[in-house]
Amino acid sequence: MVDWTAAPRPPLVIGIGGTGRPDSTTERALRLALDGAARAGAEVRMFGGEDLGRLPVFLPGRGEPTAATREFLDQVARADGFVLASPSYHGGVAALVKNALDHLEELRHDPRPYLDGRAVGCVVTAAGWQTGGGTLASLRATVHALRGWPTPLGITVNSAEQKLRDDGTEADRRCLEQLALVGRQVAEFALGRSFAPRAAAGAAR
Ligand SMILES: Cc1cc2nc3c(=O)[nH]c(=O)nc-3n(C[C@H](O)[C@H](O)[C@H](O)COP(=O)(O)O)c2cc1C
């Protein structure tokens, strides 16, 4: 457990991901990673599948952002770290999640543009072993393009075999631990940055 008493405030870690399915494996995995961040002392907030479904399709330069888009962008701008979780759909990041990330284009002129300077844990679910790794690499490439720092550990969950339940298999148990570790890595990176605000601001220019 990290001692946050010397930090200006606990870091805010935002989870972004899920699918349209209630209680989806993807959203469960995201929640487990956020629990890991919370246990390491972070405040957490999640934008799950339903929240992401309220964001319109991103069309650059078209009209004012909706209330849902504004709320999402405000939270992203405030956040100190992120966990992203996407299912692998047809070998790639699901449109629901990618659309949300495309909206970050509206933050290009922010003092911390896009995901700049913040750690981003990446989690992918797939119904097999074949496409998870490729989708994870693609999600991490998007994080790099958005100037985020992917955490050392990324996770692929095979939803055909891993149900992410406490009473599950040995593979489930290991996966639960790894998801929590991703959340912890995000929170700890945010804490490290909070002790070096000048260096962080300098790096953004
Ligand atoms: C439209 C669609 C495309 C999919 N494409 C793939 C795929 O290419 N490879 C794969 O392993 N699983 C694929 N899946 C399965 C999802 O990745 C799998 O269901 C994932 O773990 C999401 O489950 P969840 O809804 O419980 O989060 C696809 C599912 C859907 C609905």
Side-chain angles (χ1 to χ4, degrees):
M1 181 71 179
V2 178
D3 174 14
W4 297 104
T5 50
R9 61 173 171 80
L12 172 64
V13 173
I14 301 251
I16 301 170
T19 72
R21 249 171 33 76
D23 194 35
S24 66
T25 318
T26 312
E27 214 166 281
R28 215 163 337 121
L30 179 57
R31 215 169 263 125
L32 287 160
L34 289 179
D35 286 350
R39 278 204 294 282
E43 248 177 64
V44 297
R45 160 99 199 252
M46 177 163 142
F47 288 89
E50 242 188 87
D51 303 301
L52 301 186
R54 285 192 208 104
L55 302 177
V57 171
F58 177 68
L59 296 168
R62 289 271 194 97
E64 284 297 299
T66 63
T69 310
R70 205 180 298 276
E71 161 77 357
F72 175 66
L73 293 175
D74 284 352
Q75 290 295 313
V76 169
R78 277 190 58 214
D80 303 298
F82 303 89
V83 179
L84 308 181
S86 176
S88 180
Y89 277 2
H90 304 149
V93 174
L96 185 73
V97 177
K98 186 58 168 56
N99 182 55
L101 297 175
D102 286 349
H103 276 281
L104 302 191
E105 187 55 27
E106 299 296 342
L107 299 177
R108 66 191 173 282
H109 296 309
D110 259 41
R112 283 191 305 183
Y114 309 112
L115 304 174
D116 188 71
R118 288 160 289 173
V120 187
C122 293
V123 177
V124 164
T125 66
W129 294 115
Q130 184 166 267
T131 64
T135 305
L136 180 64
S138 166
L139 188 58
R140 284 175 144 179
T142 299
V143 170
H144 278 137
L146 293 170
R147 308 189 197 178
W149 298 56
T151 52
L153 184 62
I155 309 273
T156 54
V157 178
N158 180 345
S159 61
E161 295 181 12
Q162 295 165 306
K163 302 301 174 190
L164 305 183
R165 305 209 185 280
D166 264 340
D167 57 354
T169 60
E170 174 63 15
D172 263 328
R173 193 190 57 71
R174 273 203 311 274
C175 194
L176 296 183
E177 281 174 12
Q178 289 191 327
L179 285 163
L181 179 55
V182 163
R184 198 177 90 203
Q185 288 183 343
V186 171
E188 288 181 354
F189 187 89
L191 176 68
R193 299 282 290 194
S194 74
F195 283 112
R198 269 194 212 115
R205 292 200 183 96

